[in-house]
Amino acid sequence: MREIIINKNDSGQRLDKFLSKHFTTMPKSMMYMYIRKKCIKVNGKKPDIALKLCEGDVITLYIKDEFFDAKPKKKQYDFMKAPKQLDIIYEDENIIIVDKKQGVIVHPDESYHFDSLVTRLKHYLYSKGEYDPESEQSFSPAFANRIDRNTGGLVIGAKNAEALRELNLKIKNREIVKLYLCVAHGIFDVKEDTLSGYMVKNEKQNKVKVLKKPVDGSKSMITKYRVLEELPDNTSLLEVELITGRTHQIRAHLASINHPLCGDVKYGKKENENSPYKYQALYAYKLKFDFKESGGVLDYLNGKEFEAENVHFVMK
């Protein structure tokens, strides 16, 4: 028999979600069987799989020892192989806002080789003594929003589970406004507009097609833009706000009205044949915390704005 005492970072999540994170080698079917047969109890009682755990809850387990994976030694943590340097815009005890440079991935993907923004975050917090994997049962620092590898800009990281839950809720409810800067080809006839359409993604090509009318499997997309400056090389500097958050939304939507981003060869190959840009000229440059309801543990952030200090394609 073993016991797990739920700490603050573990509280608020469903029992089955917690167990899946904690016992990574346990099949879900076996986990549900253990719960049905009272081999897993919470506070001495048979629990429902959807039970929301609270701080101080005691999980009693009568399960095979093989599922209690040994914690890796400190030198074995993969995140230690990633750099710990971050371009920090803001940091407190709950969150950290990082300016991600173009070319860096936020989360590991199929090309992952131990370096991503989230592994850098873990290494950074570990070196400060703010993250100890051995003391955590299911939580690890995470980013609440993400941007593409070749897009730069502000990403919000959570240092604890309560902050992560609140960030996810506020992003879902559009109470954190994200603004982008971009440089697009051409001079816009309409200087400020809201674009509406529908997108279908080609998974093989990893490319989005924008449609005027919905079809089976399509998703609506709404993009607001305003022209900030018309540049001498027949391009325009724009501020963009995403009303919906779709794959490649800004890139695809602007290309669909014949204004592809500078440097974006996927959606503007012809226009960018001799582009001086290494990546698409797109940057998530500003965050606004605009809570309509209480922000819980993050309520002190309401009304605050944060802006990237250096956007390489903006003339100062």
Side-chain angles (χ1 to χ4, degrees):
M1 186 268 287
R2 309 250 191 134
E3 286 186 347
I4 298 174
I5 300 176
I6 298 302
N7 62 30
K8 186 175 181 180
N9 276 336
D10 297 324
S11 65
Q13 60 184 308
R14 285 170 47 134
L15 173 65
D16 55 344
K17 300 293 185 184
F18 170 80
L19 293 173
S20 293
K21 294 176 186 176
H22 192 76
F23 300 105
T24 57
T25 61
M26 183 189 294
K28 284 190 175 181
S29 57
M30 183 172 288
M31 176 183 70
Y32 296 140
M33 181 270 290
Y34 277 143
I35 293 174
R36 287 197 310 272
K37 294 190 174 182
K38 301 182 182 180
C39 296
I40 297 177
K41 298 181 180 180
V42 177
N43 300 327
K45 299 179 181 179
K46 177 185 176 181
D48 185 90
I49 59 173
L51 172 72
K52 285 287 184 71
L53 295 170
C54 298
E55 185 176 1
D57 281 348
V58 178
I59 302 177
T60 308
L61 303 115
Y62 302 86
I63 65 177
K64 295 179 180 180
D65 288 341
E66 66 189 72
F67 294 126
F68 289 90
D69 297 326
K71 295 287 184 179
K73 296 179 181 179
K74 293 181 179 180
K75 65 180 182 180
Q76 294 177 322
Y77 293 132
D78 281 350
F79 63 75
M80 297 295 286
K81 299 175 183 178
K84 64 179 178 181
Q85 289 75 25
L86 295 170
D87 189 350
I88 299 170
I89 299 298
Y90 173 81
E91 181 178 8
D92 62 31
E93 70 275 12
N94 293 310
I95 73 163
I96 181 170
I97 298 176
V98 176
D99 188 352
K100 183 192 85 71
K101 299 309 178 187
Q102 289 170 297
V104 178
I105 57 174
V106 175
H107 298 103
D109 62 9
E110 66 277 0
S111 64
Y112 171 62
H113 295 291
F114 303 113
D115 187 13
S116 66
L117 202 65
V118 73
T119 51
R120 293 185 186 191
L121 175 65
K122 291 176 183 179
H123 192 172
Y124 169 75
L125 294 177
Y126 181 83
S127 68
K128 290 182 66 183
E130 293 188 32
Y131 171 51
D132 178 13
E134 294 186 19
S135 67
E136 295 292 348
Q137 297 173 139
S138 66
F139 175 80
S140 63
F143 286 104
N145 63 314
R146 65 180 298 163
I147 49 181
D148 293 340
R149 177 198 294 267
N150 293 332
T151 299
L154 304 187
V155 189
I156 316 170
K159 294 184 177 183
N160 55 67
E162 192 173 0
L164 182 60
R165 284 193 292 270
E166 200 63 51
L167 286 172
N168 287 336
L169 178 63
K170 294 306 182 186
I171 290 173
K172 178 182 178 182
N173 292 340
R174 293 192 49 76
E175 294 179 60
I176 299 178
V177 179
K178 295 171 283 186
L179 297 175
Y180 293 75
L181 289 178
C182 65
V183 179
H185 285 278
I187 302 302
F188 286 67
D189 294 330
V190 180
K191 307 305 180 187
E192 185 171 351
D193 201 1
T194 299
L195 306 176
S196 298
Y198 299 87
M199 60 82 75
V200 176
K201 184 179 180 182
N202 184 316
E203 295 292 345
K204 282 188 176 182
Q205 296 179 356
N206 189 29
K207 190 174 181 179
V208 166
K209 184 176 182 180
V210 180
L211 307 171
K212 291 183 179 180
K213 296 182 179 180
V215 298
D216 288 344
S218 65
K219 296 179 180 179
S220 64
M221 55 194 300
I222 304 173
T223 308
K224 292 177 67 175
Y225 77 83
R226 66 186 181 100
V227 176
L228 300 179
E229 185 179 357
E230 294 176 351
L231 304 175
D233 59 350
N234 196 42
T235 61
S236 300
L237 176 66
L238 279 66
E239 181 183 73
V240 179
E241 180 182 357
L242 296 179
I243 306 304
T244 55
R246 310 300 185 197
T247 302
H248 301 172
Q249 180 169 322
I250 295 174
R251 300 163 63 189
H253 225 165
L254 290 179
S256 74
I257 60 169
N258 301 315
H259 291 289
L261 297 186
C262 294
D264 188 355
V265 295
K266 183 182 285 283
Y267 292 97
K269 185 176 181 179
K270 181 179 177 181
E271 293 87 347
N272 287 292
E273 284 181 349
N274 299 306
S275 175
Y277 293 90
K278 183 180 179 181
Y279 304 108
Q280 64 256 13
L282 179 62
Y283 219 89
Y285 88 109
K286 184 181 287 189
L287 290 168
K288 296 180 180 180
F289 290 81
D290 185 22
F291 300 160
K292 303 299 187 292
E293 298 180 359
S294 171
V297 68
L298 302 181
D299 202 48
Y300 61 91
L301 290 170
N302 196 20
K304 293 187 181 296
E305 295 185 9
F306 300 94
E307 188 171 332
E309 296 173 354
N310 295 296
V311 179
H312 65 89
F313 54 78
V314 177
M315 300 298 291
K316 298 274 184 168

